[in-house]
Amino acid sequence: MIDTIAFDGDDTLWHNESLFSMTQDRFRGLLAHAADPAVIDARLLDAERRNLGVYGYGIKGFVLSMIETAIEVTDGRVAATDIRTLIDFGKAMLQHPVDLLDGVAEVVEALSGRTRLLLITKGDLFDQESKIARSGLAERFAAVEIVSEKDPDTYRRVLERHGVDPARFVMVGNSVRSDVLPVLAIGGHAVHVPYHVTWAHEVAEPPAEGYRRIESVRELEGLLAELRGGAS
């Protein structure tokens, strides 16, 4: 019996990675005079991965990584006006409207009336709190957990805090790396809802079995009915 369902936030409930992708396109254009686009992308990804342990996930770390990359590819000659432009890119991202994915509002509302819902999302605390508040969904969740990483230990701590048995728990998210693999590792259930853009750091091979995949959150209620009925 499933009695607790958790949702990821970014790219599961609302659009997020497409905003990063659009900003990265603008970043390439800004530095087009200094390096090939493929080099810029590779340097930026390297910087983001190096900086995760310092800045964590989110827009602020992304902006700082863009600034660091701009310094690197221009051999320290990046203009102050370009750095200002990158900061403005970040501010625009932080102020961007929260755009829910198709079907999310209806499905979350329907499920909240009969099942305990959690929101488990990772990223910058201020940014995530702001998006959750602006999403209009906050009241539908029994609890909200904003974490710095999604690994088996994090999920164990969250579920223990809320008295949730992993065997009765389902995680719904767009990332195999963050929403599927660690949940299966602790004995929970996972539903993968892929988003059309995936950050390279989040790319992971899906397991051969043990999880479910749907193409839209609108399919979730039917799938949950199967899981509750014990279907394989």
Side-chain angles (χ1 to χ4, degrees), residues 85-184:
T85 296
L86 295 177
I87 293 171
D88 289 342
F89 285 174
K91 289 180 178 178
M93 293 175 74
L94 288 166
Q95 296 166 358
H96 195 274
V98 175
D99 184 14
L100 297 182
L101 273 71
D102 181 54
V104 161
E106 297 89 339
V107 170
V108 170
E109 180 175 4
L111 291 174
S112 68
R114 56 181 184 271
T115 306
R116 177 167 59 165
L117 300 186
L118 305 179
L119 175 56
I120 305 176
T121 188
K122 69 181 179 184
D124 176 76
L125 178 63
F126 181 84
D127 185 31
Q128 292 296 327
E129 285 182 336
S130 174
K131 284 191 286 191
I132 293 164
R134 290 181 288 135
S135 73
L137 300 174
E139 294 183 357
R140 303 299 181 188
F141 294 96
V144 173
E145 295 279 351
I146 300 171
V147 299
S148 58
E149 185 58 272
K150 285 180 171 178
D151 54 26
D153 286 342
T154 299
Y155 279 107
R156 285 191 190 97
R157 288 194 299 270
V158 169
L159 297 190
E160 287 175 4
R161 184 156 52 243
H162 295 285
V164 178
D165 180 351
R168 302 166 70 92
F169 170 75
V170 176
M171 181 68 195
V172 181
N174 69 291
S175 171
V176 170
R177 179 181 179 274
S178 294
D179 302 315
V180 175
L181 296 176
V183 173
L184 297 183

